[in-house]
């Protein structure tokens, strides 16, 4: 006969106990966990594992829900006390679920998982990168690490993440997070030492665009500025082949058209380009028209008829001007230039400019010897097929003077003096370069700013916004992922870095070899394998290999494996451009055995519950509805 509810122990009759033992609570808990698992799977497939971990698996509410489930299972098992034979399968199933949850909790709290990139020939490494962000503060009293994963609810100025007081007495807070930042060099001036620094601006009127950048002389990272169209370098020294004054003999021809006064075809015959702009005006009253020439900031006007075949000086400049050929009605037939008529329907000229000066744009031939010559009276020859890459090198001499060596696809190579705040035509379309700032002594410093939406890619680092308050002074700065920045604390600055959390393992791993197997008859990789050497501080060592779906475990003894003290090393990725590099994944899960045991116990309990009659609840005999015994019977 079953016992009545009044016969239960007092600790089973409490409202709190009955709440946790409720089947309704179990249904709600399991339903929410199922929905959460579905949401986590969607997040991971749509975004990545970090987002799924932030919103579901690593969230506080998810851990709390698992704790509620464990409490529900435990109290539900206790509610059957005193236990009988038909409770065995039920209790075993609940015990298996609880064991599985405990193993999962131990693995989440005490386990290790991350990646390590190794290079062949380098010393062993014990630094493991995890999939968790951390802000590291190198304070006066040591290094402190603060969790810094802000995929969900990032801090703001109104709701900052308070990191407390530093050893210097400064108060540190995180007041913002952005998914991407741009980094720009902005050197700090020094009284002596350091490196020379210049700020250059490259602008085009045609596209209404301006690009600027700081450069440090001979710096391995900040000594070059790539603008897509061309590269700009900054070095110590003097431009090669540049004379004491930079002056050289220059000869240039310009093909100009009255119908297209803004268009001209330049060809430098010797030395470089004058930078002249020639405009041919329409003929009037039966004359041949006039030309205006803008040269060295001076503009002069000439009658075409007076200087055809005659060389005249351009006042205010060291150059002379001569009209080599004139066509009143230009036409091109079979590749030759001729007149369609004597009427001024399409006037054109070839002007030749000569003089000794500093060139302002490249000559036509990068080698100075192979430029094709134009026959007298013909337009300048085009040699774009032999032109070199677009490149500009700026030199700074010991006395602070600037010079340049310029190469363009269109005009070739030239050298000259570079005057600050004076635009230099580059020959890259209509781009002009201006050196507008210079520092004789400077040190490297970076400025960071949130990147626009179109630059939020995986190649651009995210960043934290830090606020520092000390002695009433408040300052804010960005700390990008992978960078180390300096906080202006007193008496000495404090360094901070933001990035993946790093763990120092008790083992050190060395990459001895990396192999890539190719499919027969092609270069397509069929698989790749890393040969590793693992050492401990106690002198224990082992060598093994790992490849896809074949991990290498260390230590390999069975008792280490069964107790969860083994490091499981798997092949994660490789770099096709560097076959001496390998990325491995390292996993250590001290709760794995409890997970396996829990899973086995669950299967055993379910099997006993449904397939072993001895452990089933005995069938109850029918009783009259009015029987007091039936009414008082408890389903135990």
């Amino acid at each position: 006969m079953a016992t009545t509810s009044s016969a239960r122990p007092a600790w089973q009759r409490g409202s709190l106990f009955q709440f946790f033992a409720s089947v309704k609570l179990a249904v709600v808990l399991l339903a929410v966990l199922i929905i959460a698992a579905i949401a986590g799977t969607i997040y991971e497939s749509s975004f990545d594992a970090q987002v799924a971990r932030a919103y579901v698996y690593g969230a506080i509410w998810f851990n709390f829900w698992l704790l509620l489930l464990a409490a529900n299972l435990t109290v539900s098992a206790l509610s059957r006390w005193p236990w009988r034979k038909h409770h065995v399968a039920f209790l075993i199933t609940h015990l298996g679920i609880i064991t599985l949850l405990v193993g999962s909790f131990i693995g989440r709290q005490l386990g290790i998982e991350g990646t390590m990139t190794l290079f062949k020939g380098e010393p062993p490494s014990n630094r493991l990168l995890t999939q968790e962000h951390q802000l590291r503060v190198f304070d006066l009293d040591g290094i402190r690490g603060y969790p810094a994963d802000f995929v969900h609810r990032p801090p703001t100025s109104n709701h900052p993440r308070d990191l407390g007081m530093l050893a210097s007495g400064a108060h540190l807070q995180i007041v913002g997070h952005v998914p991407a930042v741009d980094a720009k060099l902005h050197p700090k001036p020094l009284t002596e030492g350091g490196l020379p620094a210049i700020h250059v601006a490259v602008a085009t009127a045609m596209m209404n665009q301006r690009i600027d950048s700081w450069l440090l002389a001979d710096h391995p990272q900040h000594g070059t500025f790539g603008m897509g169209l061309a590269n700009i370098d900054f070095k110590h020294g003097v431009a090669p082949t540049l004379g004491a004054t930079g002056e050289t003999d220059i000869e240039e021809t310009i093909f100009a058209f009255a119908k297209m006064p803004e268009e001209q075809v330049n060809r430098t015959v010797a030395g470089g380009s004058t930078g002249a702009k020639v405009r041919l005006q329409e003929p009037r009253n039966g004359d041949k028209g006039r030309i205006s020439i803008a040269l060295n900031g001076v503009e002069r006007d000439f009658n075409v008829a007076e200087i055809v075949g005659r060389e005249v000086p351009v006042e205010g400049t060291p150059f002379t001007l001569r009209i080599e050929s004139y066509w009143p009605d230009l036409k091109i037939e079979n590749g030759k230039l001729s007149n369609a008529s004597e009427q001024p329907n399409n006037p054109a000229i070839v002007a030749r400019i000569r003089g000794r000066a500093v060139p302002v744009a490249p000559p036509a031939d990068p080698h100075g010897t192979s430029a094709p010559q134009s026959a007298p009276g013909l337009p300048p020859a085009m040699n774009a097929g032999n032109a070199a890459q677009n490149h500009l090198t700026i030199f700074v001499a010991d006395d602070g003077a600037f010079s340049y060596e310029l190469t363009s696809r269109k005009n070739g190579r030239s050298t000259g003096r570079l005057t600050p705040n004076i635009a230099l035509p580059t020959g890259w379309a209509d781009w002009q370069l201006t050196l507008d700032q210079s520092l004789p002594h400077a040190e490297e410093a970076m400025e960071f700013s949130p990147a626009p939406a179109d630059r939020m890619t995986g190649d651009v680092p995210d960043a934290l916004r830090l606020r520092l308050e000390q002695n009433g002074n408040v300052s804010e700065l960005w700390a990008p992922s992978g960078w180390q920045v300096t906080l202006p604390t007193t008496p000495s600055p404090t360094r901070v870095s933001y990035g993946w959390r790093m763990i120092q393992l008790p083992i050190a791993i060395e990459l001895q070899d990396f192999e890539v197997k190719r499919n027969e008859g092609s270069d397509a990789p069929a698989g790749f394998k890393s040969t590793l050497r693992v050492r401990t501080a106690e002198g224990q060592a082992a060598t093994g290999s790992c490849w896809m779906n074949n991990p290498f475990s260390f230590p390999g003894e069975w008792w280490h494996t069964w107790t969860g003290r083994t490091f499981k090393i798997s092949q994660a990725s490789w770099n096709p451009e560097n076959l001496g590099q390998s990325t491995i994944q390292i996993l250590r899960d001290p709760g794995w055995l409890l997970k396996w045991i829990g899973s086995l116990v669950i299967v055993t309990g379910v099997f006993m519950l449904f397939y072993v009659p001895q452990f089933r609840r005995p069938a109850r005999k029918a009783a009259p509805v009015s029987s007091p015994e039936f009414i008082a019977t408890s389903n135990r």
Side-chain angles (χ1 to χ4, degrees):
M1 182 181 298
T3 59
T4 63
S5 59
S6 59
R8 294 181 183 179
W11 54 271
Q12 289 185 352
R13 297 196 300 267
S15 57
L16 183 62
F17 185 90
Q18 292 182 4
F19 170 77
F20 278 102
S22 170
V23 176
K24 294 181 179 180
L25 175 63
V27 171
V28 172
L29 293 174
L30 291 174
V32 171
L33 288 176
I34 292 172
I35 295 174
I38 295 174
T41 303
I42 294 175
Y43 278 135
E44 187 166 359
S45 60
S46 301
F47 302 98
D48 54 30
Q50 184 182 2
V51 175
R53 184 168 54 249
Y55 283 92
V56 181
Y57 305 123
I60 296 177
W61 70 266
F62 188 79
N63 292 322
F64 177 72
W65 217 255
L66 292 178
L67 181 63
L68 283 179
L69 179 61
N72 173 256
L73 294 170
T74 304
V75 175
S76 178
L78 292 175
S79 68
R80 266 58 173 178
W81 180 267
W83 297 320
R84 299 191 176 122
K85 185 178 180 180
H86 66 269
H87 292 142
V88 173
F90 168 83
L91 294 174
I92 289 177
T93 304
H94 281 59
L95 177 62
I97 298 175
I98 294 172
T99 304
L100 179 62
L101 291 175
V102 171
S104 177
F105 178 80
I106 293 175
R108 288 158 63 93
Q109 298 300 318
L110 304 180
I112 295 174
E113 183 177 5
T115 59
M116 182 184 296
T117 299
L118 303 173
F119 295 88
K120 187 177 178 180
E122 290 194 356
S125 174
N126 69 335
R127 296 184 177 183
L128 183 72
L129 291 179
T130 67
Q131 294 298 309
E132 301 173 1
H133 283 93
Q134 184 184 58
L135 180 70
R136 293 167 60 87
V137 180
F138 300 83
D139 209 349
L140 297 174
D141 56 354
I143 302 176
R144 305 180 190 178
Y146 301 93
D149 279 311
F150 300 117
V151 177
H152 180 56
R153 293 184 180 178
T156 63
S157 296
N158 296 328
H159 299 89
R161 170 75 65 86
D162 195 351
L163 303 183
M165 304 294 290
L166 303 180
S168 60
H171 187 203
L172 183 62
Q173 293 178 318
I174 303 177
V175 296
H177 173 263
V178 292
V181 289
D182 282 331
K184 276 190 99 171
L185 177 69
H186 193 85
K188 293 182 179 179
L190 299 174
T191 55
E192 59 182 10
L195 295 172
I198 59 172
H199 183 267
V200 294
V202 191
T204 168
M206 184 182 301
M207 292 181 286
N208 192 26
Q209 188 177 0
R210 182 180 186 272
I211 305 173
D212 65 292
S213 178
W214 280 95
L215 295 171
L216 290 173
D218 294 316
H219 193 279
Q221 181 179 359
H222 302 299
T224 300
F225 170 49
M227 52 177 287
L229 174 70
N231 289 328
I232 301 173
D233 296 333
F234 182 39
K235 299 180 179 181
H236 286 96
V238 179
T241 71
L242 186 65
T245 64
E247 294 182 351
T248 186
D249 291 328
I250 298 175
E251 183 173 351
E252 180 179 30
T253 57
I254 299 176
F255 196 9
F257 315 88
K259 296 292 186 181
M260 297 180 291
E262 299 298 328
E263 299 293 333
Q264 65 181 38
V265 179
N266 297 53
R267 181 181 180 277
T268 54
V269 179
S273 174
T274 62
K277 180 66 177 177
V278 173
R279 293 171 180 263
L280 175 61
Q281 301 174 10
E282 294 275 1
R284 296 180 180 178
N285 301 322
D287 63 6
K288 294 183 178 180
R290 303 184 67 84
I291 67 168
S292 63
I293 177 171
L295 187 60
N296 286 3
V298 176
E299 188 168 353
R300 293 289 182 264
D301 188 76
F302 298 90
N303 189 315
V304 173
E306 295 177 356
I307 60 174
V308 172
R310 177 170 169 261
E311 195 163 354
V312 297
V314 181
E315 295 182 4
T317 74
F319 297 101
T320 60
L321 174 66
R322 173 190 175 100
I323 302 297
E324 296 286 351
S325 299
Y326 171 77
W327 296 269
D329 192 2
L330 177 67
K331 75 171 184 177
I332 302 177
E333 188 173 7
N334 297 325
K336 297 182 179 180
L337 303 179
S338 61
N339 277 315
S341 68
E342 293 300 322
Q343 300 299 318
N345 296 324
N346 186 26
I349 62 165
V350 171
R352 185 179 296 271
I353 305 173
R354 297 177 182 174
R356 185 172 182 80
V358 177
V360 297
D365 178 35
H367 306 290
T369 58
S370 61
Q373 300 295 318
S374 299
L378 293 182
M382 304 301 290
N383 191 27
N386 295 328
Q389 297 288 333
N390 294 336
H391 197 95
L392 171 65
T393 302
I394 301 174
F395 298 90
V396 57
D398 293 337
D399 60 358
F402 297 102
S403 56
Y404 69 88
E405 181 180 24
L406 177 62
T407 303
S408 77
R409 295 176 184 268
K410 176 182 177 181
N411 296 323
R413 174 185 170 275
S414 69
T415 59
R417 296 289 182 185
L418 182 62
T419 304
N421 298 313
I422 300 297
L424 171 68
T426 62
W428 315 327
D430 70 330
W431 290 88
Q432 293 188 331
L433 178 137
T434 304
L435 192 161
D436 53 13
Q437 296 183 62
S438 63
L439 299 172
H441 305 281
E443 66 175 351
E444 177 185 353
M446 304 298 296
E447 282 188 348
F448 304 98
S449 59
D454 59 351
R455 281 184 44 80
M456 292 185 182
T457 65
D459 298 331
V460 182
D462 65 321
L464 300 179
R465 183 73 170 173
L466 303 180
R467 177 187 292 163
L468 186 73
E469 184 175 358
Q470 186 178 28
N471 301 326
N473 298 320
V474 179
S475 59
E476 293 187 5
L477 75 165
W478 289 103
S481 177
W483 290 78
Q484 188 175 101
V485 297
T486 302
L487 302 177
T489 56
T490 56
S492 61
T494 302
R495 294 177 295 118
V496 298
S497 63
Y498 166 61
W500 298 113
R501 184 169 72 96
M502 184 179 297
I503 299 176
Q504 290 191 350
L505 299 177
I507 60 173
I509 305 176
E510 178 186 1
L511 178 64
Q512 291 190 329
D513 193 17
F514 183 77
E515 305 173 55
V516 179
K517 295 183 178 180
R518 308 285 180 176
N519 290 320
E520 187 175 354
S522 70
D523 291 332
F528 36 89
K529 179 175 71 172
S530 296
T531 301
L532 308 170
R533 180 72 173 171
V534 186
R535 297 182 177 90
T536 65
E538 293 77 20
Q540 185 181 4
T543 301
S545 299
C546 63
W547 58 92
M548 194 62 64
N549 300 323
N550 191 89
F552 163 52
S553 297
F554 178 86
E557 294 80 8
W558 67 268
W559 60 87
H560 286 110
T561 302
W562 283 92
T563 55
R565 297 170 57 195
T566 295
F567 292 94
K568 186 177 180 181
I569 307 172
S570 306
Q571 184 70 55
S573 63
W574 66 300
N575 184 0
E577 298 180 359
N578 184 1
L579 297 184
Q581 173 185 339
S582 176
T583 300
I584 59 175
Q585 182 186 45
I586 301 178
L587 174 66
R588 188 180 193 180
D589 185 4
W592 80 270
L593 186 58
L594 291 177
K595 296 177 186 177
W596 279 93
I597 292 176
S599 301
L600 181 61
V601 171
I602 291 173
V603 172
T604 302
V606 171
F607 178 81
M608 293 172 61
L609 188 63
F610 288 98
Y611 297 101
V612 181
Q614 292 85 345
F615 298 104
R616 295 181 187 174
R617 182 191 301 273
R620 289 182 296 176
K621 296 181 180 180
V625 176
S626 59
S627 172
E629 182 180 350
F630 176 84
I631 297 176
T633 298
S634 173
N635 184 16
R636 299 177 60 83

